[in-house]
């Protein structure tokens, strides 16, 4: 097997190349998985059998299954919240008090505490509430789309509790740690907590987006707000018109706030509950740092769905309809779940081929340590920009990013941050990314004009992040 280690780099590189060329992430992942499986078992039947076995192994892993269930059910909860009328009620209240452009933007930022659980929900929820306000105050649709998108993924990525990113990030970091042979201390969650301060692009772009409320150096072409609604391409199978559906219940602000507060409070409690026995220190912070995040989030989510269902049931939300809506909401994220399952399987096959050894023997010895963080950021940014999926890119890159960090002696949290925040750059900048398309659709903006408006701000933030990763790498 040692003589085959150089083959281990073929499946991930082939996958990335095909994804960039085709802009189709799932077929690219499948091809990479089948090629890697064939290299392990060099017959057609043997390669397919190995690929199937690896997928089954991935899906039956306890940690992976917790992440998949969590993401599916979280998407179902979001569907319940949308259909309960909470968003529409919040919109009606806001319309009574917001009378200026800055007031609209302040409202959009102020909605973060009730829309941060998921970047898609953030865009749909905040967009539904502020779109009519933006039109009344003559805010260009492209500017609204930019503000929605740049306060979604960059913000949610930095929040370490009660979001869909928690389970995903912990899962892919765990994959990277396994690939590196678990030769380092700290859980996947604690490593992510340490990585958050280094997510430079996310931090810088949030600051730039906020400052753009007061200082615009790039003005939208349609300042008179005359752009035509345009159907966007490459939406990653997301349903963009859900905010237009008539609520099942009478709109009440409490229908939005109640499940949000529940999931946040319960997540905090179970993070402490499942971490208190794993920590030698009795403090809450120590317990949360050493918790089982996937298990804690899943339990908190299940309880939230149950009590929210009871809350909605007494408002005449039919139980059969609620069940169907949860399943329908969960099905919306099936594309993402498929990406994760195949990407994790591809990572497993690559490790069986000796990817860690290849990185240590070949790549690690040829790269100066200061260059690794900035190179990982640029790689993650480029791959995400071309394939349109930050999660897909991170799933591909993290399994060899952490072994590379270990090999050259670079801080693992710094390299983790480079991969994650590079994915965020692609999510808010790529014209084929699901989030950019969702944002332009919700704002009723012309997609190409929105991208043209957003690019200068996002690329400036990416340039600053590149310099920061370079400097941090030099002085770590």
């Amino acid at each position: 097997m040692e003589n085959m280690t150089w083959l281990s780099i073929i499946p991930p590189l082939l996958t990335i190349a095909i994804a960039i060329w085709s802009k189709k992430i799932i077929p690219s992942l499948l091809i990479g998985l089948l090629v890697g499986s064939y290299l392990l078992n060099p017959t057609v039947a043997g390669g397919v059998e190995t690929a199937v076995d690896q997928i089954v192994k991935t899906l039956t892993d306890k940690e992976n299954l917790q992440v998949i269930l969590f993401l599916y059910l979280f998407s179902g909860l979001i569907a319940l919240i949308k259909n309960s009328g909470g968003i529409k009620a919040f919109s009606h209240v806001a319309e009574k008090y917001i009378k200026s452009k800055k007031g609209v933007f302040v409202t959009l930022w102020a909605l973060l505490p009730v829309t941060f659980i998921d970047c898609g929900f953030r865009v749909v929820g905040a967009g539904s509430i502020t779109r009519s306000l933006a039109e009344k105050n003559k805010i260009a649709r492209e500017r609204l789309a930019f503000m929605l998108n740049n306060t979604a993924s960059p913000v949610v990525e930095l929040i370490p509790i009660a979001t869909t990113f928690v389970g995903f990030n912990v899962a892919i970091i765990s994959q990277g740690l396994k690939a590196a042979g678990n030769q380092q201390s700290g859980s996947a969650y604690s490593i992510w907590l340490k990585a958050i301060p280094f997510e430079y692009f996310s931090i810088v772009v949030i600051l730039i987006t906020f400052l753009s409320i007061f200082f615009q150096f790039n003005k939208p072409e349609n300042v008179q707000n005359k752009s035509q609604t345009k159907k966007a391409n490459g939406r990653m199978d997301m349903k963009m018109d859900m905010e237009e559906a008539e609520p099942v219940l009478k709109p009440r602000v409490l229908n939005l706030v109640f499940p949000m507060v529940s999931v946040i409070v319960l997540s905090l409690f179970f993070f402490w509950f499942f971490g208190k026995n794993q920590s030698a220190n009795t403090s809450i912070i120590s317990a949360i740092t050493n918790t089982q995040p996937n298990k804690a989030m899943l339990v908190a989510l299940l309880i939230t769905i149950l009590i929210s269902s009871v809350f909605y049931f007494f408002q005449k939300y039919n139980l059969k309809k609620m069940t169907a809506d949860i399943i329908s909401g969960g099905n919306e994220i099936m594309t993402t779940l498929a990406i994760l399952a195949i990407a994790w399987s591809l990572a497993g096959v690559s490790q069986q081929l000796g990817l860690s050894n290849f990185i240590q023997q070949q790549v690690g010895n040829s790269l100066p340590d200061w260059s690794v963080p900035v190179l990982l950021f640029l790689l993650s940014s480029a791959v995400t920009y071309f394939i349109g999926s930050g999660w897909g890119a991170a799933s591909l890159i993290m399994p060899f990013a952490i072994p590379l960090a270990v090999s050259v002696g670079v801080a693992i949290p710094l390299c983790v941050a480079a991969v994650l925040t590079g994915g965020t750059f692609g999510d808010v900048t790529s014209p084929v990314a699901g989030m950019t398309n969702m944002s332009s659709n919700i704002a009723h903006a012309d997609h190409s004009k929105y991208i043209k408006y957003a690019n200068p701000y996002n690329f400036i933030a990416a340039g600053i992040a590149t310099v920061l990763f370079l400097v941090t790498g030099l002085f770590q």
Side-chain angles (χ1 to χ4, degrees), residues 306-470:
L306 288 173
I307 61 178
S308 297
S309 298
V310 172
F311 180 68
Y312 293 146
F313 177 78
F314 283 105
Q315 296 181 56
K316 310 299 183 185
Y317 197 156
N318 183 274
L319 189 59
K320 183 177 180 181
K321 171 66 174 169
M322 272 194 285
T323 303
D325 287 343
I326 291 173
I327 294 173
S328 176
N331 289 343
E332 286 186 37
I333 204 170
M334 286 305 296
T335 298
T336 298
L337 300 184
I339 289 173
L340 296 182
I342 303 171
W344 290 338
S345 301
L346 173 62
V349 166
S350 297
Q351 294 312 316
Q352 290 180 51
L353 286 168
L355 181 60
S356 297
N357 290 334
F358 176 81
I359 291 173
Q360 292 171 2
Q361 295 168 6
Q362 305 296 327
V363 182
N365 294 330
S366 61
L367 288 175
D369 56 1
W370 57 265
S371 69
V372 172
V374 69
L375 289 177
L376 286 174
F377 171 68
L378 293 174
L379 175 63
S380 181
S381 298
V383 172
T384 307
Y385 185 87
F386 286 109
I387 71 175
S389 171
W391 282 16
S395 298
L396 283 173
I397 297 170
M398 196 68 78
F400 66 80
I402 293 179
L404 179 60
V406 173
S407 176
V408 299
V410 182
I412 293 176
L414 180 60
C415 293
V416 166
V419 175
L420 295 179
T421 201
T424 303
F425 165 78
D427 274 342
V428 300
T429 310
S430 171
V432 298
M435 290 309 303
T436 59
N437 282 279
M438 178 182 282
S439 300
S440 61
N441 187 283
I442 295 299
H444 290 180
D446 181 292
H447 188 62
S448 61
K449 290 181 179 179
Y450 154 56
I451 294 297
K452 184 177 180 181
Y453 172 74
N455 274 353
Y457 295 104
N458 293 345
F459 276 99
I460 287 174
I464 295 172
T466 300
V467 173
L468 290 172
F469 276 115
L470 185 59

Side-chain angles (χ1 to χ4, degrees), residues 111-181:
L111 286 168
L112 276 170
V114 290
T115 57
F116 75 86
I117 59 175
D118 175 75
C119 54
F121 180 67
R122 163 67 183 167
V123 169
V124 170
S128 301
I129 291 170
T130 58
R131 186 178 59 213
S132 61
L133 297 172
E135 291 175 354
K136 289 179 181 179
N137 289 278
K138 294 184 171 56
I139 294 173
R141 294 171 180 177
E142 287 69 37
R143 191 180 181 192
L144 176 63
F146 165 75
M147 198 68 65
L148 287 170
N149 199 14
N150 283 33
T151 59
S153 299
V155 175
V156 178
E157 176 60 55
L158 299 176
I159 299 174
I161 196 167
T163 78
T164 51
F165 278 76
V166 175
F168 169 77
N169 286 340
V170 170
I172 62 169
I173 294 170
S174 296
Q175 291 287 332
L177 293 176
K178 290 177 183 177

